[in-house]
Amino acid sequence: GGWNSPRSSTSSPTNRWTTRLRPAEARHSPVSGTRRVLPSLATRCHTAEVGNSLRLGIVDDHPAILRGVLAGLLDFLPDVVATRTALCVEPLIEDRRNIDLVILDVNLGDDTDAAQNVAALVDAGLPVLLYTQGAGRALIARCFRAGASGIVAKSADLAALAEAIRVIASGHAYL
């Protein structure tokens, strides 16, 4: 993984920086069908000012997913100024001072335990958004006990993922 500066990209013929998330596009959680915003229980994690620049960390063991999620999110989150992508959590922990929020694939191919990954990120002061394609309830519950701030299914559209990022970056849980 490496640093990507979306603002320097000129490969797209469309202007990625003018598209805004409309409230009507983010009314439902991909998990429960409704969106609830709760105060975050992970008080050890810092929050980013919504509307200011946002620095994301994305952990996924599939490079195409990393690139695709980043490219798609830029349409909804024009305030993303840099993204650190990685195949495991360690590089993000090492670079924690340059990251505001981590999107974490729950089922990494390196056989690490998702709840332990969440705990390590939260202990480093990073809010964690779980991004999954079908983890079991017991594993998700363990991840939330370890300090995860929200969850979005990989089958959800990018507007829902962007809304979860905004909510968590403002210091609230997204459930």
Side-chain angles (χ1 to χ4, degrees):
W3 280 100
N4 301 308
S5 179
R7 298 227 186 260
S8 64
S9 174
T10 57
S11 61
S12 173
T14 61
N15 185 348
R16 294 186 174 285
W17 319 119
T18 58
T19 305
R20 297 274 182 194
L21 178 66
R22 292 183 298 275
E25 293 177 319
R27 290 188 181 153
H28 301 287
S29 167
V31 176
S32 66
T34 61
R35 181 176 65 86
R36 295 183 297 154
V37 178
L38 303 171
S40 178
L41 299 177
T43 57
R44 293 178 288 178
C45 296
H46 65 280
T47 61
E49 295 283 331
V50 175
N52 291 338
S53 62
L54 182 61
R55 302 164 304 168
L56 296 177
I58 305 175
V59 180
D60 199 299
D61 57 335
H62 297 96
I65 297 294
L66 288 170
R67 289 188 181 274
V69 167
L70 173 60
L73 281 176
L74 294 177
D75 288 335
F76 296 98
L77 296 170
D79 48 345
V80 171
V81 294
T83 305
R84 173 81 163 139
T85 59
L87 302 176
C88 60
V89 300
E90 287 81 11
L92 299 179
I93 292 169
E94 291 171 11
D95 199 27
R96 65 187 165 271
R97 288 177 185 84
N98 296 310
I99 299 171
D100 297 315
L101 182 145
V102 174
I103 301 167
L104 176 65
D105 179 6
V106 174
N107 297 310
L108 295 175
D110 63 0
D111 294 325
T112 56
D113 180 71
Q116 289 177 354
N117 286 339
V118 170
L121 290 163
V122 170
D123 287 345
L126 297 167
V128 177
L129 172 60
L130 303 174
Y131 195 49
T132 182
Q133 65 180 12
R137 287 182 183 215
L139 177 59
I140 296 301
R142 287 182 45 238
C143 288
F144 275 104
R145 283 193 299 274
S149 296
I151 184 169
V152 173
K154 285 188 174 180
S155 61
D157 66 30
L158 288 171
L161 180 58
E163 176 65 7
I165 291 167
R166 287 184 193 279
V167 168
I168 293 170
S170 69
H172 297 88
Y174 182 88
L175 303 173

